[in-house]
Amino acid sequence: MEATQTSQKTVDQVWAKRPLIISGPCSAETEEQVIETATQLAKTGKIDALRAGIWKPRTRPGSFEGIGTKGLAWLQQARKITGLPLAVEVATAKQVEDALHFDIDILWIGARTTVNPFSVQEVADALRGVKLPVLIKNPINPDLELWIGAAERVAKAGVEKIGLIHRGFSSYGNTEYRNAPMWHLAIEMKRRNPGMMMICDPSHISGRRDILQAVAQKSLDLDYDGLMIESHIDPDNAWSDAKQQVTPAKLVELLDGLLWRREMVEEAAPVLDKLREQINHIDDELMQLLSQRMKIADNIGQFKKDNNITILQTNRWNEILEKAFKKGEKLGLTKEFIVKYFDAVHMESINHQNNIMNS
Ligand code: PEP
Ligand code: MN
């Protein structure tokens, strides 16, 4: 096994670095490609760790399924030259064993693995007693419990450095994104795991180059701890995920174009406190009004019960929505929000009426 480079930051230092920037090709393809990408990335001085897929979980057989274990030796070589720590995806016990054998620094569990508790447990068991940091991608389906479960399984195996990667959720049909970000799920995941590192993978969310930066910026504005972005010396001819990879030079442009905002500063606190006080006040009033609204729904429920009338009146519901869209537009509220808000209020109102009518 190769000696650790003196220029290499320790993995502890890398793990603590904010923002943490991981980049490298979707897949290791050839020795030259790995080393050239790593060299160009290292030269930028903006990268903390080198990623490369060695075993690729492809959706359909026949796509490039990864170069396999020999790619680990190329990665070692790249680390020797650049000093960049190495991050690799693992999905089976054997892959963990191989990655450990080649002294990989950081492991990650991919989205197609996080969905399967058997696979996560297999990886977790193989990690018992191992001190490496492990990053866990969100599962491909929007199920927070699976993501949390995977983190718990890895934690139970004794892994202490656990981080999360938000890479979006798959959906049926063509959308703007390859994997819909569903930011609210990642925000909820952060809320439920305070202090756990969360980085964004704009590459797999976007699936294309033109929106990478906007997605990355959004994650920074949500106070993420870092980014994992795929890069390749010749993206158009990449053996996997060609459409979303960028050259190291483009990556620098992208990173330089991002605004890294501060979480909080002392002088901002009084100003924000005042504005937040106003928000709290309005939230209180909204709650009071909603409670009043539901009391009226109760009365309507009683009336409908006495007169044997159905709860749902589709015409009335349409009328409410149409009116709200028009009014919302004038008030600067999006149609999307109006639908969500009225859906929630309407459902709560139906539940109230249902309780009365069937009590
Ligand atoms: C990858 O990082 O190349 C990868 C396969 O990602 P995901 O698990 O997010 O699909
Ligand atoms: Mn990829």
Side-chain angles (χ1 to χ4, degrees), residues 2 8-9 11 14 22-23 34 38 48-52 71-80 82-89 99 102-108 132-133 135:
E2 122 225 36
Q8 188 181 327
K9 279 192 201 159
V11 175
V14 168
I22 303 173
S23 188
V34 168
D48 304 304
L50 176 72
R51 65 149 279 157
L72 292 171
W74 306 338
L75 283 176
Q76 277 196 328
Q77 192 58 25
R79 178 174 56 195
K80 204 169 190 173
T82 64
L84 287 173
L86 307 170
V88 160
E89 173 179 350
F102 281 86
D103 201 21
I104 298 303
D105 303 285
I106 299 169
L107 303 177
W108 87 81
L132 296 193
L135 293 160

Side-chain angles (χ1 to χ4, degrees), residues 286-297:
L286 285 173
M287 300 263 279
Q288 297 289 346
L289 285 171
L290 283 169
S291 161
Q292 281 177 33
R293 194 190 191 283
M294 293 311 154
K295 283 190 185 115
I296 296 172

Side-chain angles (χ1 to χ4, degrees), residues 183 187 190 217-224:
W183 296 102
I187 291 169
K190 267 160 76 74
Q217 183 65 57
K218 175 123 186 185
S219 74
L220 300 185
D221 291 344
L222 293 174
D223 196 27
Y224 281 39

Side-chain angles (χ1 to χ4, degrees), residues 26-27 51 56 58 178 204 230 240-241 244-245:
C26 177
S27 305
R51 65 149 279 157
K56 300 303 295 180
R58 307 315 293 176
R178 177 177 174 195
H204 291 88
E230 288 182 344
S240 60
D241 290 352
Q244 71 197 31
Q245 301 201 61

Side-chain angles (χ1 to χ4, degrees), residues 180-235:
M182 301 192 185
W183 296 102
H184 59 288
L185 289 183
I187 291 169
E188 176 61 9
M189 190 67 183
K190 267 160 76 74
R191 193 185 69 80
R192 292 190 35 189
N193 296 277
M196 195 177 277
M197 173 201 297
M198 166 90 77
I199 69 176
C200 184
D201 171 349
S203 303
H204 291 88
I205 289 177
S206 306
R208 46 189 245 229
R209 293 172 199 136
D210 58 331
I211 56 171
L212 277 179
Q213 180 157 5
V215 171
Q217 183 65 57
K218 175 123 186 185
S219 74
L220 300 185
D221 291 344
L222 293 174
D223 196 27
Y224 281 39
D225 299 298
L227 299 166
M228 179 192 261
I229 301 181
E230 288 182 344
S231 57
H232 193 287
I233 40 166
D234 183 8

